[in-house]
Amino acid sequence: MTVLVERDNIGIFGKMNAGKSSVMNLLTQQETSIVDSTPGTTSDTKISLHEIHGIGPVRIFDTAGINELSELGEKKRKKVMSDLKETNLVLLVIDPSTSDFNAEAELLKEARELDRQIIIIYNIFSDEDKSRINEVEEKLALLRFHKKILIKANESSFRRQLLDFILENYEPENPLMDLLPFIERDRYYILVIPMDVETPPGRYLRPQAMTEEYITRHWAYPVSFRLDLASARGDDPDAEKKRFLALINGLAEKPRCIITDSQAMDIMSKWCPDDIDLTTFSIVMINYMSGGKLSNFVKGVEAADNLKSGDSILIAEACNHSRVGEDIGTVQIPALVEKIYPGVKVEHNFGREFQDNSELEKYSLIIHCGGCMISRQKMTARIRDLDAVGVPYTNYGIFLSAVNGRAALRKVVKPWGIEI
Ligand code: SF4
């Protein structure tokens, strides 16, 4: 079965001027990063996408040095630590000619706590540096646990050696994930797409496009149905329901599953025939982006039962799309919360960066979108943060199913082999 492949993240870390950008350029074979002996030349993380034979598609991060003592330096440090959470393989670049290794100690400790794979790169500027490595290892006792290589990062002849060393010592982590593990060849799948004012012209949203492509690729038949949500929710929904059922009944065979936009769960939970499975695009995406941790999000929605006036919940979206009309995150879910959980405050977090753990702790529940615009590593890092602070989290599709009753929730998780 064909599966989608995610990129592994390789992060280059170390203090200022250790030669991180030279390592980046060595790996990418181009001037991706500016190499300058002025400390702090890399002011923000640079990202390069590559295919490394033997590993597959990778995303290489060249991060800023974390030992810059200024207000800006502190901001850079936070960004580097956030990058570390997303990294599968940490390349820690050490210049043995220096004497203060606090930055390396901090990076090493954090990377180990996050269970990251770590490779140490001693960047040798002169032969004298080699004799100082024992001294470095005495100061950084944790180094003894990790594989090391000595290179001259600014000499391109070391590229092959470095790549071979990485291939030998790195176990690619990105699991091959099925987007829709329940797809069966030659079966019909109905995609319910309301196409409201937020829908961009000329293309489907990423979860819709991925789902359609996946079903086709697996020799099954995706059939799209544009649902008129306003009519379906209006005074006379029968005409819209008739149109929907005519499509289903007109197919040569009963569809195997209906995959709907989550915001239409109030309609689809009632219209979907009992003998056809149902799930949502948001659930498809969160399962895929979280590396199969859908059950965590299903468990998290139980926290909604205990919400009380004065509690705060966070609606988290991993992108900053333009918000017009009855936007799901800013209008529809807040309106539902107000109606079902009076007095519960709703806050929002939009975009790629998530909040510090200390802020997350104040929420009684996090409701996350499908997360299609961030990497799986970033989503996994978010989950790890939330697990660490013990804040329950759920997802748009699960929440919008749960508010339509236990039976609706049970139905949308059933295709995933989850029983509640
Ligand atoms: S990142 Fe979230 S809000 Fe943005 S398009 Fe993807 S699922 Fe929707």
Coordinates of all heavy atoms in Angstrom, one line a residue, residues 114-163:
L114 N 14.6 15.2 25.6 CA 13.6 15.1 24.5 C 13.7 13.8 23.7 O 13.1 13.5 22.7 CB 13.6 16.2 23.5 CG 13.2 17.6 24.1 CD1 13.6 18.7 23.1 CD2 11.7 17.6 24.3
D115 N 14.7 12.9 24.2 CA 15.0 11.7 23.5 C 15.4 11.8 22.1 O 15.1 11.0 21.2 CB 13.8 10.7 23.6 CG 13.6 10.2 24.9 OD1 14.6 10.1 25.7 OD2 12.4 9.9 25.3
R116 N 16.1 12.9 21.7 CA 16.6 13.1 20.4 C 17.8 12.2 20.0 O 18.6 12.0 20.9 CB 16.9 14.6 20.1 CG 15.7 15.5 20.3 CD 14.8 15.2 19.1 NE 13.6 16.0 19.3 CZ 12.4 15.4 19.7 NH1 12.4 14.2 20.1 NH2 11.3 16.2 19.8
Q117 N 17.9 11.9 18.8 CA 19.2 11.2 18.4 C 20.2 12.3 18.2 O 19.9 13.4 17.7 CB 19.0 10.5 17.0 CG 18.0 9.3 17.2 CD 18.0 8.5 15.9 OE1 19.0 8.1 15.4 NE2 16.8 8.4 15.3
I118 N 21.4 12.1 18.7 CA 22.4 13.2 18.7 C 23.7 12.7 18.1 O 24.2 11.6 18.4 CB 22.7 13.6 20.2 CG1 21.4 14.1 20.9 CG2 23.8 14.7 20.2 CD1 21.5 14.3 22.4
I119 N 24.3 13.5 17.2 CA 25.6 13.2 16.7 C 26.5 14.4 17.0 O 26.1 15.6 16.8 CB 25.6 12.9 15.2 CG1 25.0 11.5 14.9 CG2 27.0 13.1 14.6 CD1 24.8 11.2 13.5
I120 N 27.7 14.2 17.5 CA 28.6 15.3 17.9 C 29.6 15.5 16.7 O 30.2 14.6 16.2 CB 29.4 14.9 19.1 CG1 28.5 14.5 20.3 CG2 30.3 16.1 19.5 CD1 27.5 15.4 20.7
I121 N 29.7 16.8 16.3 CA 30.6 17.1 15.2 C 31.7 18.0 15.8 O 31.4 19.2 16.2 CB 29.9 17.8 14.0 CG1 28.8 16.9 13.4 CG2 30.9 18.3 13.0 CD1 28.0 17.6 12.3
Y122 N 32.9 17.5 15.9 CA 34.0 18.4 16.3 C 34.5 19.1 15.1 O 34.9 18.5 14.1 CB 35.1 17.6 17.0 CG 34.8 17.2 18.4 CD1 34.7 15.8 18.7 CD2 34.6 18.1 19.4 CE1 34.4 15.4 19.9 CE2 34.3 17.7 20.7 CZ 34.2 16.3 20.9 OH 33.9 15.9 22.2
N123 N 34.3 20.4 15.1 CA 34.8 21.2 13.9 C 36.2 21.7 14.2 O 36.5 22.5 15.1 CB 33.9 22.4 13.7 CG 34.2 23.2 12.5 OD1 34.9 22.6 11.6 ND2 33.7 24.4 12.4
I124 N 37.1 21.1 13.5 CA 38.6 21.3 13.7 C 39.1 22.4 12.9 O 39.0 22.3 11.6 CB 39.4 20.0 13.4 CG1 38.8 18.8 14.2 CG2 40.8 20.1 13.7 CD1 38.8 19.0 15.7
F125 N 39.6 23.4 13.5 CA 40.1 24.5 12.7 C 41.7 24.4 12.5 O 42.2 24.9 11.6 CB 39.8 25.9 13.4 CG 38.4 26.2 13.3 CD1 37.5 25.8 14.4 CD2 37.8 26.9 12.3 CE1 36.2 26.1 14.3 CE2 36.5 27.2 12.2 CZ 35.6 26.8 13.2
S126 N 42.3 23.7 13.5 CA 43.8 23.5 13.4 C 44.1 22.1 14.0 O 43.3 21.6 14.8 CB 44.5 24.6 14.1 OG 44.4 24.4 15.5
D127 N 45.2 21.6 13.7 CA 45.6 20.3 14.3 C 45.7 20.3 15.9 O 45.4 19.4 16.5 CB 47.0 19.8 13.8 CG 46.8 19.3 12.3 OD1 45.6 19.0 12.0 OD2 47.8 19.1 11.6
E128 N 46.0 21.5 16.3 CA 46.1 21.7 17.8 C 44.7 21.4 18.5 O 44.7 20.9 19.6 CB 46.4 23.2 18.0 CG 47.3 23.4 19.2 CD 47.6 24.9 19.3 OE1 48.4 25.4 18.5 OE2 46.9 25.5 20.1
D129 N 43.6 21.7 17.7 CA 42.3 21.5 18.3 C 42.0 20.0 18.7 O 41.3 19.8 19.6 CB 41.2 21.9 17.3 CG 41.2 23.4 17.1 OD1 41.8 24.1 17.9 OD2 40.5 23.9 16.1
K130 N 42.6 19.1 17.9 CA 42.4 17.7 18.1 C 42.8 17.3 19.5 O 42.2 16.5 20.2 CB 43.2 16.8 17.1 CG 42.6 16.9 15.7 CD 43.3 16.0 14.8 CE 43.0 16.2 13.3 NZ 43.9 15.6 12.4
S131 N 44.0 17.9 19.9 CA 44.5 17.5 21.3 C 43.6 18.1 22.4 O 43.8 17.7 23.6 CB 45.9 18.0 21.4 OG 45.9 19.4 21.2
R132 N 42.7 19.0 22.1 CA 41.9 19.5 23.1 C 40.6 18.8 23.4 O 39.8 19.1 24.3 CB 41.6 21.0 22.8 CG 42.8 21.9 22.8 CD 42.5 23.3 22.4 NE 41.3 23.8 23.1 CZ 41.5 24.4 24.3 NH1 42.6 24.6 24.8 NH2 40.4 24.9 24.9
I133 N 40.3 17.8 22.5 CA 39.0 17.1 22.6 C 38.8 16.3 23.9 O 37.8 16.4 24.5 CB 38.9 16.1 21.4 CG1 38.6 17.0 20.1 CG2 37.7 15.2 21.6 CD1 38.5 16.3 18.8
N134 N 39.9 15.7 24.4 CA 39.8 15.0 25.7 C 39.3 16.0 26.8 O 38.5 15.7 27.7 CB 41.1 14.4 26.2 CG 41.4 13.1 25.4 OD1 40.4 12.6 24.8 ND2 42.6 12.6 25.5
E135 N 39.9 17.2 26.8 CA 39.5 18.2 27.8 C 38.0 18.6 27.7 O 37.3 18.7 28.7 CB 40.4 19.5 27.4 CG 40.8 20.3 28.6 CD 41.6 21.5 28.1 OE1 42.7 21.2 27.6 OE2 41.1 22.6 28.2
V136 N 37.6 18.7 26.4 CA 36.1 19.0 26.2 C 35.3 17.9 26.8 O 34.3 18.1 27.5 CB 35.8 19.2 24.7 CG1 34.4 19.4 24.4 CG2 36.7 20.2 24.0
E137 N 35.7 16.7 26.5 CA 34.9 15.5 27.0 C 34.9 15.4 28.5 O 33.9 14.9 29.1 CB 35.3 14.2 26.3 CG 35.3 14.4 24.8 CD 34.9 13.2 24.0 OE1 35.0 12.1 24.6 OE2 34.4 13.4 22.8
E138 N 36.0 15.9 29.1 CA 36.0 15.9 30.6 C 35.0 16.9 31.1 O 34.3 16.7 32.1 CB 37.4 16.3 31.1 CG 38.3 15.0 31.3 CD 39.7 15.4 31.5 OE1 40.0 16.5 32.1 OE2 40.6 14.7 31.1
K139 N 34.9 18.0 30.4 CA 34.0 19.1 30.9 C 32.5 18.7 30.6 O 31.6 19.1 31.3 CB 34.3 20.4 30.2 CG 35.6 21.0 30.7 CD 35.8 22.4 30.1 CE 37.0 23.1 30.6 NZ 37.4 24.2 29.9
L140 N 32.3 18.0 29.5 CA 30.9 17.6 29.1 C 30.8 16.1 29.2 O 30.8 15.4 28.2 CB 30.6 18.1 27.7 CG 30.4 19.6 27.4 CD1 30.3 19.9 25.9 CD2 29.1 20.0 28.1
A141 N 30.5 15.6 30.4 CA 30.4 14.2 30.6 C 29.4 13.5 29.7 O 29.6 12.3 29.4 CB 30.2 13.9 32.1
L142 N 28.3 14.2 29.4 CA 27.2 13.5 28.6 C 27.7 13.2 27.2 O 27.1 12.3 26.5 CB 26.0 14.4 28.5 CG 25.2 14.6 29.8 CD1 24.1 15.6 29.6 CD2 24.6 13.3 30.3
L143 N 28.8 13.8 26.8 CA 29.3 13.5 25.4 C 29.6 12.0 25.2 O 29.6 11.5 24.1 CB 30.5 14.4 25.1 CG 30.3 15.8 24.8 CD1 31.6 16.6 24.6 CD2 29.4 16.0 23.6
R144 N 29.9 11.4 26.3 CA 30.4 10.0 26.2 C 29.3 9.0 25.6 O 29.6 8.0 25.2 CB 30.9 9.5 27.5 CG 29.9 9.2 28.6 CD 30.5 8.9 29.9 NE 29.6 8.6 31.0 CZ 28.9 9.4 31.6 NH1 29.0 10.7 31.4 NH2 28.1 9.0 32.6
F145 N 28.1 9.5 25.7 CA 27.0 8.7 25.2 C 26.7 8.8 23.7 O 25.9 8.1 23.1 CB 25.6 9.1 25.9 CG 25.7 8.8 27.4 CD1 25.6 9.9 28.3 CD2 25.8 7.6 27.9 CE1 25.6 9.7 29.6 CE2 25.8 7.3 29.3 CZ 25.7 8.4 30.1
H146 N 27.5 9.7 23.0 CA 27.1 9.9 21.6 C 28.2 9.7 20.7 O 29.4 9.9 21.0 CB 26.5 11.4 21.5 CG 25.4 11.6 22.5 ND1 24.1 11.0 22.2 CD2 25.3 12.2 23.7 CE1 23.3 11.3 23.2 NE2 24.0 12.0 24.1
K147 N 27.9 9.4 19.4 CA 28.9 9.2 18.4 C 29.5 10.5 17.9 O 28.8 11.5 17.9 CB 28.2 8.6 17.1 CG 27.5 7.3 17.4 CD 28.5 6.1 17.3 CE 27.8 4.8 17.5 NZ 28.7 3.7 17.7
K148 N 30.8 10.5 17.6 CA 31.4 11.7 17.3 C 32.2 11.6 16.0 O 32.7 10.6 15.6 CB 32.5 12.1 18.4 CG 31.8 12.4 19.7 CD 32.6 11.8 20.8 CE 31.8 11.9 22.1 NZ 31.9 10.6 22.8
I149 N 32.3 12.7 15.3 CA 33.1 12.8 14.1 C 33.9 14.1 14.1 O 33.5 15.1 14.6 CB 32.3 12.7 12.8 CG1 33.1 12.7 11.6 CG2 31.2 13.8 12.7 CD1 32.4 12.4 10.3
L150 N 35.2 14.0 13.6 CA 36.0 15.2 13.5 C 36.1 15.6 12.0 O 36.4 14.8 11.2 CB 37.4 14.9 13.9 CG 37.8 14.9 15.4 CD1 37.1 13.9 16.2 CD2 39.3 14.7 15.6
I151 N 35.7 16.8 11.8 CA 35.8 17.3 10.4 C 36.3 18.8 10.3 O 36.3 19.4 11.4 CB 34.4 17.3 9.7 CG1 33.4 18.2 10.4 CG2 33.9 15.9 9.5 CD1 32.1 18.5 9.6
K152 N 36.7 19.2 9.2 CA 36.9 20.6 8.9 C 35.8 21.1 8.1 O 35.7 20.8 6.9 CB 38.3 20.8 8.2 CG 39.5 20.5 9.1 CD 40.8 20.8 8.3 CE 41.9 20.5 9.3 NZ 43.2 20.5 8.7
A153 N 34.8 21.7 8.8 CA 33.5 22.0 8.1 C 33.6 22.9 7.0 O 32.7 22.9 6.1 CB 32.5 22.5 9.2
N154 N 34.7 23.7 6.9 CA 34.7 24.6 5.8 C 35.5 24.0 4.6 O 35.8 24.7 3.6 CB 35.4 26.0 6.2 CG 36.7 25.8 6.9 OD1 37.2 24.7 6.9 ND2 37.2 26.9 7.5
E155 N 35.8 22.7 4.7 CA 36.4 22.1 3.5 C 35.5 21.1 2.9 O 35.1 20.1 3.6 CB 37.7 21.4 4.0 CG 38.8 22.4 4.3 CD 40.1 21.7 4.7 OE1 40.3 20.5 4.3 OE2 41.0 22.3 5.3
S156 N 35.1 21.3 1.6 CA 34.1 20.5 1.0 C 34.5 19.0 0.9 O 33.6 18.1 0.8 CB 33.8 21.0 -0.4 OG 34.9 21.0 -1.2
S157 N 35.8 18.7 1.0 CA 36.2 17.3 0.9 C 35.7 16.4 2.1 O 35.7 15.2 2.0 CB 37.7 17.2 0.9 OG 38.2 17.8 2.0
F158 N 35.2 17.1 3.1 CA 34.7 16.3 4.3 C 33.2 16.0 4.1 O 32.6 15.3 5.0 CB 34.9 17.1 5.6 CG 36.3 17.1 6.1 CD1 37.2 18.0 5.7 CD2 36.7 16.1 7.0 CE1 38.5 17.9 6.1 CE2 38.0 16.0 7.4 CZ 38.9 16.9 7.0
R159 N 32.6 16.4 3.0 CA 31.1 16.2 2.9 C 30.8 14.7 2.9 O 29.9 14.3 3.6 CB 30.6 16.8 1.6 CG 29.2 16.6 1.3 CD 28.6 17.4 0.2 NE 27.2 17.4 0.2 CZ 26.4 16.5 -0.4 NH1 27.0 15.6 -1.1 NH2 25.1 16.5 -0.2
R160 N 31.4 13.9 2.0 CA 31.1 12.5 1.9 C 31.3 11.8 3.3 O 30.4 11.0 3.7 CB 32.0 11.9 0.9 CG 31.7 10.5 0.4 CD 30.4 10.4 -0.3 NE 29.3 9.9 0.6 CZ 28.0 10.0 0.3 NH1 27.6 10.6 -0.8 NH2 27.1 9.5 1.1
Q161 N 32.4 12.1 4.0 CA 32.7 11.5 5.3 C 31.5 11.8 6.3 O 31.1 11.0 7.0 CB 34.0 12.1 5.8 CG 34.7 11.3 6.8 CD 36.0 12.0 7.2 OE1 36.7 12.6 6.4 NE2 36.3 11.9 8.5
L162 N 31.1 13.1 6.3 CA 30.0 13.5 7.2 C 28.7 12.8 6.8 O 28.1 12.2 7.7 CB 29.9 15.0 7.2 CG 28.7 15.6 8.1 CD1 29.0 15.2 9.5 CD2 28.6 17.1 7.9
L163 N 28.4 12.7 5.6 CA 27.1 12.1 5.2 C 27.2 10.6 5.5 O 26.2 10.0 6.0 CB 26.9 12.2 3.6 CG 26.3 13.6 3.2 CD1 26.3 13.6 1.7 CD2 24.9 13.7 3.8

